[in-house]
Amino acid sequence: MGTRYYSFILVTLALVFAFIEAIQAQNPGKGNSSKKAPFDAASTHYEVLPSKDGRESVNCLNRGRCQYKQLTCPAECPERKPKKNKKVKGCFVDCSKCEATCKWRKARCDGYGSLCYDPRFVGGDGVMFYFHGAKEGNFAIVSDDNLQINAHFIGTRPQGRTRDYTWVQALAVMFDSHTLVLAAKRVSHWDDSFDALTVRWDGKEIEIPTDGEAEWRITTDKREVVVERTDDTNSVEVRVAGLVQLNIKVRAIGKEENRVHNYQLPDDDAFAHLETQFKFINISDEIEGVLGKTYRPNYVSPVKRGVPMPMMGGEDKYQTPSLFSPLCNVCRFKGQAAFASSI
């Protein structure tokens, strides 16, 4: 009887602990964070603590081996959001890896997942290629079950050329039932002190603060979305929890660049455009898109190596009816994005 009694007690305790763990799994971080969300974004789920000797510290709140571990920024980059972003690296805290490291908080045009210039990509496989598309065209850069990113191209065709020079003027990030649009304003002459970046959430323009945390954030039913300034003007980092991170900078074509490449741009348009670097999270093996497909397992790039401008074709596969449409010949997106009417 005694053995059975103790066995009963042990089984009962095991069931109680299992029930408690299930409740905690459904409410990660409850009671420990002022930001209660229906997800557990491991890398950025933390609370900021008072600085130590000028170095920022955080307390990790994500589940797993790093939970409640305190991380302090290195002396080389003591702040998560340094004011002099162009010249100083920021502290990147990753609570999924229990580490705080120094990184540039801007797009790296030679890095994996980058989209810059006219336009030049570096794929998930590390291979560089060009994709010209067409001016005023819209193309699926990424198309997966839960994420679609389209790009709107602007461009010009100088006399004697058979193809357009093109640049990416806007990106539409579609997921769940939402659309986040980032676009460069048209400017006649470039002035870096003027903020030429516009951001729209489900069709409504939003303002990104320039002081304090310098960020705009919203929590939907499924995830948190953050748009944070990484410089006073024309530079932001976008984080869509569980899907994608983008580092974006607006730049324009300068006079010398116009002369060297013989773009023959008009005097009233500096062709402001986006330079972007993507980091994807939880993508499928069947991901599509001009950039997306380069992240497939065992993907082999068809572009010709060793030439000055290796070209990636497929305009017919990736062209979409509009910036806000998830439809193309190979698109996979299954969400119901809220389409905006203008950029």
Side-chain angles (χ1 to χ4, degrees):
M1 180 67 69
T3 302
R4 291 182 180 179
Y5 175 77
Y6 285 118
S7 298
F8 173 78
I9 293 296
L10 291 174
V11 170
T12 302
L13 288 173
L15 291 173
V16 170
F17 288 136
F19 176 76
I20 292 173
E21 288 178 357
I23 294 297
Q24 290 176 338
Q26 293 176 4
N27 299 277
K30 187 173 182 179
N32 299 309
S33 173
S34 60
K35 296 192 297 182
K36 298 180 178 63
F39 52 84
D40 190 12
S43 63
T44 57
H45 192 190
Y46 56 75
E47 61 181 353
V48 180
L49 303 175
S51 298
K52 298 179 180 179
D53 301 323
R55 297 158 60 190
E56 292 188 358
S57 299
V58 305
N59 180 36
C60 292
L61 300 175
N62 59 301
R63 292 168 291 181
R65 64 187 179 91
C66 302
Q67 190 174 39
Y68 306 132
K69 183 173 182 178
Q70 293 188 9
L71 302 177
T72 301
C73 292
E76 295 79 10
C77 55
E79 297 177 309
R80 292 175 301 119
K81 303 177 181 181
K83 298 301 182 183
K84 301 297 183 181
N85 183 62
K86 291 182 180 180
K87 300 179 180 179
V88 180
K89 288 185 177 181
C91 172
F92 178 76
V93 176
D94 190 340
C95 280
S96 64
K97 298 180 180 179
C98 304
E99 65 179 17
T101 55
C102 299
K103 294 184 179 181
W104 293 111
R105 304 181 72 238
K106 57 184 179 181
R108 291 179 56 243
C109 287
D110 293 322
Y112 287 75
S114 60
L115 167 52
C116 301
Y117 313 132
D118 56 346
R120 194 194 76 174
F121 291 77
V122 178
D125 57 351
V127 176
M128 182 269 287
F129 63 91
Y130 287 81
F131 178 85
H132 284 320
K135 64 179 180 180
E136 302 309 322
N138 302 283
F139 298 89
I141 302 303
V142 173
S143 186
D144 206 2
D145 293 345
N146 301 314
L147 176 68
Q148 175 99 7
I149 302 177
N150 290 349
H152 177 73
F153 286 30
I154 54 174
T156 183
R157 183 178 297 187
Q159 187 175 4
R161 237 183 99 81
T162 58
R163 297 198 63 164
D164 299 330
Y165 285 115
T166 54
W167 298 271
V168 171
Q169 181 264 336
L171 291 170
V173 183
M174 293 172 270
F175 56 94
D176 304 331
S177 60
H178 303 287
T179 301
L180 180 69
V181 176
L182 302 107
K185 299 176 184 177
R186 185 179 181 202
V187 294
S188 57
H189 302 284
W190 184 250
D191 181 354
D192 201 42
S193 65
F194 171 72
D195 197 7
L197 178 69
T198 63
V199 184
R200 290 180 178 272
W201 171 254
D202 288 347
K204 183 178 180 181
E205 187 167 348
I206 58 176
E207 293 292 332
I208 313 302
T210 56
D211 55 359
E213 289 292 292
E215 65 181 29
W216 173 91
R217 67 171 62 226
I218 190 170
T219 301
T220 70
D221 291 339
K222 294 185 177 181
R223 63 191 85 250
E224 186 176 56
V225 181
V226 180
V227 182
E228 176 195 336
R229 288 192 184 275
T230 51
D231 211 336
D232 293 336
T233 59
N234 299 309
S235 185
V236 295
E237 180 177 281
V238 178
R239 300 187 296 275
V240 181
L243 288 177
V244 66
Q245 176 180 313
L246 304 86
N247 287 93
I248 294 178
K249 177 178 175 59
V250 180
R251 67 177 296 267
I253 305 298
K255 291 183 178 180
E256 182 62 15
E257 186 178 358
N258 182 32
R259 183 192 67 80
V260 170
H261 292 281
N262 194 30
Y263 290 140
Q264 301 179 35
L265 300 185
D267 293 335
D268 62 346
D269 194 345
F271 278 76
H273 59 280
L274 306 180
E275 291 184 345
T276 309
Q277 187 174 19
F278 303 86
K279 180 181 179 181
F280 302 107
I281 306 164
N282 297 327
I283 55 179
S284 76
D285 289 348
E286 301 301 320
I287 188 171
E288 263 293 356
V290 179
L291 177 65
K293 67 179 180 180
T294 67
Y295 284 82
R296 288 184 172 190
N298 303 318
Y299 172 78
V300 178
S301 178
V303 302
K304 187 175 181 179
R305 311 288 184 91
V307 297
M309 294 185 66
M311 294 297 301
M312 176 76 76
E315 287 91 340
D316 57 329
K317 293 181 180 179
Y318 307 115
Q319 190 160 16
T320 62
S322 74
L323 177 64
F324 313 107
S325 172
L327 304 177
C328 73
N329 288 339
V330 295
C331 285
R332 299 177 48 84
F333 182 62
K334 293 181 173 62
Q336 299 291 326
F339 301 152
S341 59
S342 64
I343 56 176

